[in-house]
């Protein structure tokens, strides 16, 4: 079953922050986050394997709340290069199923 | 550099004419996936191989077939492409399945005329 992402789209000014949420009706054991630019393949951002785990690099970080069956991606002080579609993915039966995506646009 | 390579980058075929997309990997990963991505949609898993073990998604049309002759190569065959099969096809690999990072190829954009 496909995880649900919110919001569907976000428009930011450079330097603003954003949060993208991913939730599942099924138990979550791991959550992946990818970013995809138009016409390109998804690029791996991070994977969270344990409930309560938080990860981050540069100004992009994520948290994983196993009990609530959700994960959130945090983008701080957004840059133009952050524009793209962000997908979360949850593992079901050993395979990765993607959410419907959140389109992020960062304007100068 | 070790990587996942898809050929061709763009493929144009005619309605009903069989087409094969290819994927190769130098990562020596056990698992290879084929995803279909239509415009403004999420990648949708078609099937995957865990080593030689083939796993078909329940809603993957019979029109789509796959072959994995060895660890490095995997092929997607579309027997009779329809207009609705126009999409980006993404190949991905991982060592031990979905609990690890997926490595994606650059994709093949398929057009059906």
């Amino acid at each position: 079953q496909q995880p649900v992402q919110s919001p569907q789209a976000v428009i930011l000014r450079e330097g603003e922050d954003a949060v993208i949420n991913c939730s599942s009706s099924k138990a979550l054991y791991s959550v992946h986050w990818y970013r995809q630019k138009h016409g390109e393949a998804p690029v791996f951002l991070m994977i969270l394997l344990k409930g309560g785990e938080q990860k981050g690099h540069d100004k992009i970080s994520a948290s994983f709340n196993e009990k609530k069956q959700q994960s959130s991606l945090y983008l701080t002080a957004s840059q133009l290069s952050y524009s793209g579609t962000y997908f979360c993915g949850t593992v079901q039966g050993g395979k990765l199923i993607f959410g419907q995506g959140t389109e992020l646009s960062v304007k100068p | 550099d070790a990587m996942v390579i898809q050929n061709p980058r763009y493929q144009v075929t005619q309605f009903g004419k069989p087409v094969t997309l290819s994927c190769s990997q130098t990562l020596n990963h056990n698992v290879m996936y084929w995803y279909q991505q239509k415009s403004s949609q999420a990648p949708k898993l078609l099937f995957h191989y865990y080593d030689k073990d083939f796993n078909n998604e329940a809603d993957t049309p019979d029109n789509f077939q796959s072959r994995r002759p060895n660890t490095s190569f995997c092929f997607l065959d579309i027997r009779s492409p329809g207009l609705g099969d126009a999409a980006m096809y993404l190949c991905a690999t991982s060592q031990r399945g979905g609990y690890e990072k997926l490595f994606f190829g650059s994709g093949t954009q398929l057009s059906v005329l």
Side-chain angles (χ1 to χ4, degrees):
Chain A
Q1 194 165 5
Q2 187 178 40
V4 176
Q5 290 183 230
S6 63
Q8 289 190 341
V10 183
I11 299 176
L12 299 174
R13 292 286 181 189
E14 238 181 325
E16 291 182 338
D17 301 340
V19 180
I20 300 171
N21 298 304
C22 174
S23 63
S24 174
S25 59
K26 293 191 171 186
L28 283 180
Y29 301 102
S30 70
V31 178
H32 296 222
W33 286 97
Y34 293 80
R35 177 173 60 212
Q36 185 178 33
K37 299 207 182 248
H38 182 70
E40 299 180 8
V43 173
F44 175 78
L45 294 176
M46 63 193 78
I47 181 171
L48 299 103
L49 296 174
K50 298 177 184 177
E53 184 175 25
Q54 297 192 32
K55 277 191 176 179
H57 60 84
D58 198 7
K59 293 176 181 175
I60 300 176
S61 62
S63 63
F64 177 23
N65 188 322
E66 190 177 9
K67 288 183 180 178
K68 292 185 177 180
Q69 296 174 188
Q70 66 184 35
S71 176
S72 297
L73 186 72
Y74 306 93
L75 299 103
T76 306
S78 58
Q79 306 167 16
L80 296 176
S81 62
Y82 288 2
S83 292
T85 301
Y86 289 78
F87 292 99
C88 70
T90 59
V91 178
Q92 299 173 29
K95 54 200 177 186
L96 189 65
I97 306 299
F98 287 96
Q100 81 276 23
T102 296
E103 187 172 359
L104 183 80
S105 298
V106 182
K107 309 290 185 185
Chain B
D1 286 343
M3 55 199 309
V4 181
I5 302 166
Q6 290 188 247
N7 285 306
R9 181 71 178 87
Y10 299 94
Q11 176 75 55
V12 180
T13 191
Q14 292 180 340
F15 183 94
K17 185 175 181 181
V19 65
T20 295
L21 310 182
S22 71
C23 177
S24 64
Q25 55 131 342
T26 59
L27 297 161
N28 204 33
H29 281 172
N30 287 322
V31 191
M32 295 188 78
Y33 306 84
W34 280 105
Y35 285 88
Q36 178 194 60
Q37 187 176 27
K38 296 186 178 181
S39 182
S40 301
Q41 295 185 18
K44 178 179 179 296
L45 184 64
L46 295 173
F47 22 60
H48 72 282
Y49 282 90
Y50 197 113
D51 196 11
K52 296 180 181 179
D53 184 24
F54 176 70
N55 298 273
N56 196 33
E57 292 303 294
D59 56 356
T60 298
D62 293 339
N63 199 23
F64 290 81
Q65 305 285 319
S66 183
R67 296 170 282 136
R68 189 179 184 185
N70 53 52
T71 301
S72 301
F73 286 88
C74 195
F75 300 97
L76 171 61
D77 301 309
I78 308 177
R79 292 191 295 188
S80 182
L83 298 178
D85 296 328
M88 171 79 88
Y89 290 87
L90 295 162
C91 174
T93 72
S94 71
Q95 179 59 16
R96 285 192 294 263
Y99 293 99
E100 295 186 348
K101 169 186 175 181
L102 265 62
F103 293 77
F104 281 90
S106 55
T108 294
Q109 183 68 50
L110 178 69
S111 300
V112 181
L113 304 179

